[in-house]
Amino acid sequence: MDSLEIQTKKVLLAGLYSKNPSNPSISKLIKDLLFLSKSSQSNTYISEAAQYIIAHLKLGFGYLEHKELFDYVLLKSGTPADYIAELQKMNSCIVLNKDRLRSIIGRWPASSYNSHTITSAINEIILHVENDDLGTYNYYTAKKDGTYTALYTLTITADCTIFNDVFNNKFYRLMKK
């Protein structure tokens, strides 16, 4: 279970990433905390930076993109080398295919109030990713009263493709086959 500090940082980062998934927010945030740590006698800023890194990873983003920066902060914060090695394996990119996408989405009850059938949603997501259709696309299941029971957002930018399970606050980085 995540600590309250990690959970809070996940919410903050999720808000930043939902605005612009390719935004280099994590590296800027970590570098700003490192700058502040230089003028402080305590390890507070380094510890905060390490927590943001772990929150970033728990949201489904990869380690290797910022490996050098993450390694430096985690080592400086006293994180054991074997734990860092485990973190480096977390949240690798997902190669897009129908079966993998179906397993990420999970339960999709049949209803005329849904945005799509599960088959049409999966086919459309794959088509958007393969065609590099820049933009944001929503897929949801809903009750008769219009309340969402599940919500997924696909965001395609020039730099990356992010599939967000909004209700479970999970992010997946999708890659073409």
Side-chain angles (χ1 to χ4, degrees):
M1 185 87 174
D2 294 341
S3 69
L4 180 60
E5 291 85 4
I6 300 288
Q7 289 178 16
T8 302
K9 286 169 179 61
K10 281 172 60 176
V11 170
L12 292 169
L13 288 175
L16 286 173
Y17 294 149
S18 69
K19 301 269 188 254
N20 184 0
S22 65
N23 186 338
S25 302
I26 191 68
S27 61
K28 180 170 178 6
L29 179 61
I30 300 300
K31 288 174 184 174
D32 288 348
L33 288 168
L34 285 173
F35 177 77
L36 291 171
S37 73
K38 291 177 183 176
S39 62
S40 173
Q41 297 298 334
S42 75
N43 243 6
T44 305
Y45 294 112
I46 296 294
S47 176
E48 290 290 314
Q51 290 174 5
Y52 272 108
I53 290 169
I54 292 169
H56 172 82
L57 296 172
K58 294 203 178 243
L59 285 173
F61 291 94
Y63 190 98
L64 298 177
E65 184 178 356
H66 305 286
K67 182 182 182 325
E68 191 174 306
L69 178 63
F70 287 2
D71 284 350
Y72 174 78
V73 170
L74 292 171
L75 287 170
K76 194 160 176 74
S77 73
T79 305
D82 58 334
Y83 184 63
I84 293 172
E86 287 302 310
L87 289 175
Q88 291 173 352
K89 298 175 190 171
M90 284 184 69
N91 305 311
S92 57
C93 293
I94 295 167
V95 176
L96 186 62
N97 67 46
K98 287 183 180 185
D99 293 334
R100 184 67 175 125
L101 191 56
R102 182 65 183 101
S103 69
I104 290 171
I105 291 174
R107 190 169 181 274
W108 190 279
S111 168
S112 60
Y113 301 98
N114 294 347
S115 64
H116 300 72
T117 65
I118 185 62
T119 304
S120 67
I122 288 173
N123 289 337
E124 185 176 300
I125 291 167
I126 290 172
L127 189 64
H128 283 310
V129 173
E130 287 176 349
N131 292 333
D132 292 321
D133 295 333
L134 303 182
T136 300
Y137 307 93
N138 292 315
Y139 304 90
Y140 59 86
T141 60
K143 297 179 184 176
K144 288 181 185 178
D145 66 1
T147 357
Y148 292 154
T149 55
L151 175 61
Y152 302 91
T153 303
L154 173 69
T155 305
I156 302 174
T157 66
D159 300 325
C160 67
T161 300
I162 302 295
F163 188 69
N164 180 8
D165 177 347
V166 176
F167 282 19
N168 292 314
N169 199 29
K170 292 184 179 177
F171 291 78
Y172 302 92
R173 198 169 231 173
L174 303 179
M175 290 177 41
K176 298 179 199 178
K177 291 181 191 180

